[in-house]
Amino acid sequence: MKKAFEPIVNNNSKILILGTMPGEKSLQLQEYYGNRGNQFWRLLCGVFNEGPKDDYADKIALLKKHNIALWDVLEYCEREGSLDSNIKNEVPNNFNVFYGKYPQIKHVLFSSKNAAVYYDRYVGRRPDIIYGVLPSPSGANATMTFLQKLDIWKIKILNIVSNT
């Protein structure tokens, strides 16, 4: 069984970005979105017009600076490789406890359609939270260019930031 990371969150977090489960490289490095082929950090830096962040502590600081929490829908699963399509015997994280501890989070953005599917299957949408789906930052998602993804990420994230 593979185990996901603890959430990156604090009492100032207003937005929660949810992935499915860390990939192999992320698990090896013990860092969210640790695979260099994944565009998550590059996209987030682009949203806020910040230069690239190589140090993981700087990446975490970027999240906290903009009141963004980061977590995964699944706590455990079996998976060969990093593809979500290979996930088996999954166990979701405990969102009731999470939302009880962080009631100020009113926006959830899924970093992929798969994350939304697992969330809907195991957690269900709450009426007090606004949900959205971002284009997957995975290098395997070649249906959009980086700039097309960035445009959508900017619209969705900055719209929330400007209204909170």
Side-chain angles (χ1 to χ4, degrees):
M1 279 296 232
K2 296 179 183 196
K3 181 172 180 1
F5 308 135
E6 293 298 313
I8 297 170
V9 62
N10 63 35
N11 290 327
N12 296 320
S13 301
K14 306 276 190 243
I15 302 168
L16 172 61
I17 298 178
L18 283 173
T20 306
M21 181 75 178
E24 290 298 313
K25 189 67 173 177
S26 294
L27 291 169
Q28 179 187 344
L29 295 172
Q30 287 295 291
E31 295 181 3
Y32 278 98
Y33 300 98
N35 187 321
R36 293 221 181 259
N38 191 294
Q39 300 170 330
F40 180 88
W41 296 111
R42 189 173 160 216
L43 285 163
L44 205 57
C45 287
V47 166
F48 296 109
N49 294 317
E50 298 208 16
K53 311 279 185 227
D54 293 323
D55 185 69
Y56 192 58
D58 292 337
K59 294 172 182 177
I60 303 310
L62 174 70
L63 291 170
K64 292 181 178 178
K65 175 181 174 182
H66 296 287
N67 301 321
I68 297 173
L70 188 58
W71 205 20
D72 286 301
V73 176
L74 302 178
E75 181 178 14
Y76 294 99
C77 76
E78 293 177 15
R79 179 176 62 195
E80 190 84 25
S82 296
L83 295 176
D84 285 354
S85 58
N86 292 338
I87 289 175
K88 297 178 188 167
N89 301 318
E90 61 271 15
V91 176
N93 273 305
N94 189 333
F95 284 88
N96 286 332
V97 169
F98 180 84
Y99 291 134
K101 191 170 179 181
Y102 302 103
Q104 75 283 1
I105 292 177
K106 297 298 180 194
H107 296 271
V108 171
L109 294 173
F110 300 103
S111 69
S112 70
K113 290 177 186 173
N114 287 333
V117 167
Y118 282 111
Y119 186 92
D120 290 343
R121 180 181 302 159
Y122 294 113
V123 182
R125 305 219 179 179
R126 299 167 52 117
D128 59 328
I129 294 178
I130 299 167
Y131 297 90
V133 180
L134 299 166
S136 173
S138 170
N141 176 16
T143 59
M144 291 183 189
T145 67
F146 174 81
L147 291 176
Q148 288 171 320
K149 291 179 192 180
L150 180 60
D151 284 343
I152 296 169
W153 277 56
K154 277 185 176 183
I155 290 166
K156 291 192 179 221
I157 294 173
L158 293 178
N159 183 46
I160 296 169
V161 169
S162 67
N163 291 315
T164 56

